[in-house]
Amino acid sequence: MPQFLVHDEPAAGPATHVIVIGVGAYPHLKDGTGALTPDHDGMGQLSSPPISARAFADWVIRSFHHPAKPLSTVALLVSAKNSEPFQNSRTGRFYEEIAPATSEMVSEAIKEWKDRGDSNFGNLLIFYFCGHGITEGTDTALLLADYGADQQSSLNGALDFRRLCLGLKRCRATEQCFFIDACRASSRTLTDAQGFAGKVIIQPGRRDPTWEQPVRAPIFYATFNGDKAYGLPDTPSLYTQALMRALADWGADDENGTWQVTTSRLAEALENAVVRKAREFDRLQLTTADGMTKIYLHQLPGNPTVPIYVKSEPPLTSICDAALTYGASGGALMPAPPGGRSGGDWEIEATAGTYDFAAAFPSGEKREVRNMTVRPPYKPVTMR
Amino acid sequence: MSTLALRIDKNLEVPADAGAVAVLHRIADESNKAIRGGKRIETMIPASRDSANVKRIDVDPGRWWVEATLPSGEIIADEVTVLAGKQADMTLRSSEPSPHEWLGWQHLMGNVEGFETFNHILEVAKRDPVGYARDVISKSLKGRIPDHVRAIVEGTLDTYLPRDITAGEAKPPDPFADAGAPVVRLCHDVDPIGLHGRAAWSGILAPSTLASPQPALKWSDQEGFHIYHFAAPASPPARDFALVEWGPERHIASLPLPWPDAFGGPGPKEVELMVRMHPLDKTVHLGVAVLDREFGTLAGLMTASSLPKARIFVDKARDMLFAKMENRLAAAAGGYVLLATGDPAPGAEWHGWIENLANRFPDLSDGAVLKATQLLRYPKDDKCYDDAKASLFQAFDRGIPYYSAGVAWLLDGLTLFADEDPEANERMKLVHKVAQRLDVSQAFTVIRLSDKAEPT
């Protein structure tokens, strides 16, 4: 059996344990290599999830920093058209064989991950999934690589996500965070299954009442119930790109004097970033969350960068037609990057601080905005 | 002392005292010296067109960063300089106004997107599909490949996608042209058998349609919106549900009636139901809002990512919510927020409030769900689990929760005991049938009765 861990650094006290699952190759969905399941619901192969999963695992290993709960383990399972090794950016070690994201492998990996979580009540568990998902009301099935292999019961190759979260209440770790980068399209398969939404890996039940309470477990979804999540071929999905940026910068706050990312701030940053990115492609993708409670996730090494959206109000013409310059307050102004023009506004990214903005419009009119504080999650600037 | 006067400028038929939750922090002192990690002030800001309707807060002079979260989840951030001994006024506005003034509450609650986004979606729905495909391909390539390569690719599109497919032909049909109107009936159920236990959980999926259709208060046929107001004189144990039908689509919404006036005003508050038709994908979306200036926005805040901000609302309003519990439904909303956002320390004061809510209102399913969930999240011993199970059974017997979180949490609770207790398993299966049809994006319980339309 291939090993799941691509990062393993023993920790004496509370630590962070991450599991990353990316499923792009579905042999029993459209254009797959196996027999097509009758429960395909129009779903096919995906190129983005394996890339997204690897990118997220790489970000965690490279950049995750939690002084009280240092990164201890990262488990990675990927099913892609072509298998590729994974290099741990901290140790440099190559992992030639990455475990496939089949239901058998994912079950084993999750049980091991839960066991690691049991080692200390202060542990932080992070779960990331990217692939197909189907939803009916409160039920969500995360489709694994062998979805449809059992033609009589396709959902044997899926993960019952609601019951997984309930089962993990029996894990001692009191902080658990879930990122689900998947469509949540409605499916008759779930309705017809009458309550079966995939494998139950950890049976829900009574948490030991002598353990620490409560378990706080926010869930971040890439999209609303019944909606689609979007990805561009051969690149990380819109959501995973936004998630990594939100973890790295946009979800930070300096409430305690240092820039830290918390789950509540992360949700706000993600919501904005994904909506904007999807809108570029005339798509509406609204992220959402469940059980949104505040957990401290990550500490930044320095000041965050912040997206700034500069727009103009009539009678001025669109800011995108103007010559826009900006710079730290009192300093020299530089031209805004031309690639930042996006629909009705101009997006700039800058380190948190105080800035001046100036715009010269084709009509000859000029506008300035000075001493604008720029902080996460984003800053709108309006030229009037 | 200096003062900051804050307001949200928004067109609302009924103003909202808690139009947004705001977090204020001082980013620079009077001499403009930056301050990091200073104490933050949390408050509620009113939303209305009335410029005199402001929230005044005494603050130290300096530069203040104000971040307001609307019930829709939108964040409006701005800064203001407050001079010593002076009042600084700050008016915040949503990035986009509501598509219509009469959709103001639905927009505030996040059930309708803003004017520009809405019109953009409408325009996309009506646009030439070939031009649209061309745009998407072009935008997908932008920035990912060199411009000269993109120009070549776009050039080849001319071979396969004609520049103007509709030249000389009729425009694509208006999707709303033959959409018709929904039929909305008010089911005012006073039958105690139909409201409780197994009959309630089975009956909700096959409600009676004997009630007469209700007239819409406002509507826009060109955009698929219909607005209904309800102020049924219900008193427990009656329940009011709105049954919505449009083509093969059927939905039922639990109406939070009666919703009393917290200040003993002239009668209960109205509940607004928005029915929005989407002819292209043949679906209907419902939005339920309570037109209550004190607590109406809490339902919006308690969904999705703005939940931590709802916690601020509940903490600020806890005396009004829990002292006399004059509005049991608002108190239940507060209970959901307190439990969902949680406190690491067990035994907080609010644990007693939830117990009271469950005990004082024996017909309120939500109260029993909250009590059970509290026991499950903060168990002291094994007996807590037995008590939680009893409370879950009680919640089931009391009927359909007013809030969608109540349905979801009841299902989760029963699931914990399903393997060890056949009665829990049987109840779980009944609740599960309803939960699978639940619109979890809505604070109030909305259930889809029809099967989903097959994609065309």
Side-chain angles (χ1 to χ4, degrees):
Chain A
M1 181 173 282
Q3 68 168 75
F4 304 120
L5 294 184
V6 292
H7 185 81
D8 188 3
E9 204 170 327
T16 300
H17 300 277
V18 183
I19 185 166
V20 178
I21 301 166
V23 195
Y26 287 94
H28 304 287
L29 293 182
K30 284 168 74 178
D31 302 322
T33 53
L36 182 68
T37 172
D39 301 320
H40 63 80
D41 279 335
M43 294 179 287
Q45 309 304 304
L46 302 170
S47 63
S48 184
I51 298 165
S52 300
R54 288 168 177 279
F56 185 72
D58 182 59
W59 184 88
V60 170
I61 293 168
R62 190 185 296 273
S63 308
F64 180 84
H65 177 55
H66 191 315
K69 302 180 184 192
L71 181 66
S72 181
T73 63
V74 178
L76 177 63
L77 297 96
V78 173
S79 282
K81 190 177 171 187
N82 302 308
S83 63
E84 284 176 42
F86 179 85
Q87 186 179 19
N88 181 315
S89 54
R90 278 200 204 181
T91 63
R93 182 178 163 186
F94 273 96
Y95 294 82
E96 295 295 338
E97 195 183 357
I98 299 300
T102 59
S103 54
E104 184 191 357
M105 292 291 171
V106 167
S107 296
E108 278 307 309
I110 287 178
K111 284 174 189 167
E112 289 183 11
W113 172 67
K114 188 250 180 196
D115 287 346
R116 291 191 288 275
D118 278 332
S119 66
N120 192 302
F121 81 90
N123 283 340
L124 167 63
L125 294 185
I126 295 177
F127 178 95
Y128 170 95
F129 174 88
C130 188
H132 282 301
I134 53 177
T135 294
E136 281 297 335
T138 52
D139 282 349
T140 294
L142 305 179
L143 308 193
L144 302 171
D146 52 339
Y147 176 77
D150 180 347
Q151 297 267 320
Q152 305 308 318
S153 181
S154 293
L155 287 165
N156 277 336
L159 191 61
D160 184 334
F161 183 60
R162 184 179 73 85
R163 283 186 166 88
L164 174 68
C165 295
L166 284 176
L168 282 165
K169 299 286 191 291
R170 290 171 58 209
C171 175
R172 191 155 192 174
T174 51
E175 290 184 347
Q176 304 171 7
C177 191
F178 301 85
F179 297 104
I180 306 301
D181 186 358
C183 286
R184 300 176 75 199
S186 173
S187 165
R188 288 289 283 273
T189 307
L190 269 183
T191 318
D192 294 346
Q194 298 189 354
F196 180 66
K199 278 198 168 179
V200 180
I201 295 171
I202 302 162
Q203 194 64 44
R206 300 175 183 225
R207 178 180 173 84
D208 187 333
T210 64
W211 286 359
E212 297 73 13
Q213 316 284 358
V215 175
R216 293 188 294 159
I219 305 167
F220 293 82
Y221 292 105
T223 185
F224 260 99
N225 201 333
D227 283 347
K228 291 180 178 173
Y230 296 100
L232 297 171
D234 302 320
T235 57
S237 69
L238 299 186
Y239 181 78
T240 296
Q241 289 184 46
L243 173 61
M244 292 187 293
R245 293 309 316 270
L247 281 166
D249 290 292
W250 304 342
D253 197 357
D254 62 348
E255 199 171 0
N256 300 317
T258 54
W259 289 102
Q260 297 179 337
V261 176
T262 60
T263 47
S264 47
R265 200 64 173 165
L266 185 72
E268 293 165 351
L270 269 173
E271 202 165 292
N272 169 65
V274 172
V275 166
R276 279 192 63 90
K277 197 70 190 169
R279 201 182 290 159
E280 282 179 29
F281 300 97
D282 274 346
R283 292 287 186 268
L284 190 62
Q285 182 175 337
L286 302 169
T287 62
T288 185
D290 267 354
M292 183 44 64
T293 180
K294 195 171 176 179
I295 293 177
Y296 161 37
L297 279 180
H298 170 65
Q299 183 173 311
L300 273 60
N303 288 338
T305 61
V306 184
I308 306 165
Y309 310 123
V310 186
K311 69 172 186 178
S312 52
E313 279 191 355
L316 294 171
T317 54
S318 168
I319 191 72
C320 296
D321 299 329
L324 177 65
T325 54
Y326 75 107
S329 286
L333 302 185
M334 58 187 159
R341 294 183 183 96
S342 171
D345 59 21
W346 197 322
E347 184 173 340
I348 302 167
E349 196 161 342
T351 306
T354 310
Y355 288 84
D356 298 335
F357 300 83
F361 291 85
S363 59
E365 289 175 288
K366 292 184 177 176
R367 293 288 186 279
E368 282 184 358
V369 179
R370 296 199 169 273
N371 293 317
M372 297 298 284
T373 302
V374 168
R375 294 173 54 83
Y378 55 89
K379 173 69 181 177
V381 174
T382 304
M383 299 278 183
R384 295 186 173 95
Chain B
M1 182 54 78
S2 310
T3 305
L4 191 49
L6 297 164
R7 64 180 285 262
I8 306 280
D9 182 30
K10 178 132 187 78
N11 240 336
L12 294 170
E13 289 177 85
V14 176
D17 290 351
V21 176
V23 178
L24 289 63
H25 66 274
R26 198 163 163 243
I27 50 177
D29 64 14
E30 270 182 288
S31 59
N32 211 22
K33 187 182 166 197
I35 298 170
R36 288 279 301 275
K39 185 172 173 269
R40 298 189 173 193
I41 298 172
E42 295 172 343
T43 189
M44 314 302 299
I45 311 180
S48 73
R49 284 321 298 262
D50 179 3
S51 58
N53 187 8
V54 298
K55 174 81 175 189
R56 287 191 178 79
I57 303 156
D58 291 337
V59 296
D60 292 329
R63 239 175 49 237
W64 285 82
W65 177 264
V66 178
E67 201 174 280
T69 305
L70 304 181
S72 61
E74 181 182 353
I75 298 171
I76 312 171
D78 209 342
E79 59 190 290
V80 61
T81 299
V82 186
L83 301 175
K86 304 274 185 190
Q87 173 173 304
D89 297 329
M90 186 181 224
T91 299
L92 299 165
R93 289 176 185 85
S94 184
S95 63
E96 296 181 31
S98 167
H100 296 286
E101 194 173 323
W102 47 272
L103 285 172
W105 264 88
Q106 299 292 340
H107 179 240
L108 184 67
M109 303 289 277
N111 290 331
V112 177
E113 52 281 353
F115 178 79
E116 285 88 4
T117 305
F118 173 75
N119 280 320
H120 181 69
I121 291 169
L122 211 59
E123 186 249 318
V124 168
K126 293 176 178 176
R127 103 174 20 152
D128 158 31
V130 174
Y132 175 66
R134 177 187 290 280
D135 276 1
V136 170
I137 293 168
S138 185
K139 284 178 183 173
S140 302
L141 297 175
K142 190 180 174 186
R144 299 182 64 220
I145 57 174
D147 281 350
H148 69 279
V149 179
R150 183 159 62 93
I152 294 168
V153 175
E154 286 176 355
T156 60
L157 292 179
D158 290 336
T159 311
Y160 303 103
L161 298 177
R163 277 239 163 246
D164 185 7
I165 195 171
T166 58
E169 297 176 15
K171 283 187 175 178
D174 179 354
F176 293 96
D178 301 314
V183 175
V184 175
R185 293 182 166 89
L186 178 67
C187 306
H188 181 67
D189 198 339
V190 290
D191 172 9
I193 297 169
L195 290 174
H196 298 105
R198 288 167 180 77
W201 290 95
S202 306
I204 190 74
L205 298 176
S208 154
T209 55
L210 295 175
S212 305
Q214 300 282 310
L217 185 72
K218 302 261 175 60
W219 65 91
S220 166
D221 287 332
Q222 292 77 31
E223 298 157 327
F225 288 113
H226 286 73
I227 290 284
Y228 304 82
H229 281 194
F230 299 99
S235 59
R239 282 289 298 269
D240 292 286
F241 293 94
L243 178 64
V244 178
E245 296 169 303
W246 179 62
E249 285 280 295
R250 292 183 87 217
H251 296 253
I252 193 161
S254 166
L255 302 177
L257 292 169
W259 186 281
D261 187 315
F263 295 107
K269 299 295 181 186
E270 280 190 314
V271 168
E272 180 176 284
L273 172 71
M274 178 196 72
V275 180
R276 181 177 186 183
M277 302 175 295
H278 300 276
L280 286 179
D281 52 7
K282 300 187 175 75
T283 57
V284 159
H285 177 76
L286 308 189
V288 179
V290 186
L291 304 181
D292 173 15
R293 62 182 298 159
E294 282 85 32
F295 295 125
T297 52
L298 182 54
L301 283 165
M302 67 189 280
T303 57
S305 51
S306 51
L307 192 61
K309 298 294 165 62
R311 177 61 187 249
I312 294 172
F313 186 145
V314 173
D315 283 343
K316 295 285 170 199
R318 58 186 185 177
D319 287 343
M320 276 174 65
L321 282 169
F322 298 109
K324 293 182 183 170
M325 290 210 193
E326 284 174 351
N327 185 336
R328 62 195 185 124
L329 296 179
Y336 284 113
V337 171
L338 289 169
L339 266 171
T341 49
D343 265 336
E349 185 190 15
W350 55 266
H351 287 211
W353 302 336
I354 286 178
E355 179 91 23
N356 289 344
L357 189 66
N359 298 338
R360 284 175 56 179
F361 303 102
D363 61 318
L364 184 65
S365 178
D366 300 81
V369 172
L370 288 164
K371 181 180 172 183
T373 306
Q374 179 168 282
L375 287 162
L376 291 172
R377 294 192 183 183
Y378 300 90
K380 298 186 188 81
D381 49 36
D382 271 329
K383 185 176 173 301
C384 285
Y385 285 104
D386 298 334
D387 293 345
K389 190 166 72 175
S391 233
L392 291 167
F393 284 11
Q394 204 168 48
F396 177 89
D397 291 340
R398 289 179 180 185
I400 309 296
Y402 282 88
Y403 290 94
S404 60
V407 179
W409 291 8
L410 178 58
L411 176 65
D412 285 351
L414 290 169
T415 305
L416 294 186
F417 299 107
D419 276 357
E420 64 177 43
D421 184 338
E423 280 193 49
N425 190 39
E426 189 236 335
R427 286 172 168 86
M428 180 197 75
K429 285 179 178 169
L430 282 168
V431 175
H432 193 240
K433 282 185 181 169
V434 174
Q436 270 202 326
R437 293 169 172 276
L438 186 69
D439 182 350
V440 294
S441 71
Q442 286 294 306
F444 296 107
T445 302
V446 174
I447 297 160
R448 180 173 45 78
L449 303 177
S450 50
D451 289 332
K452 286 254 170 81
E454 292 291 337
T456 51

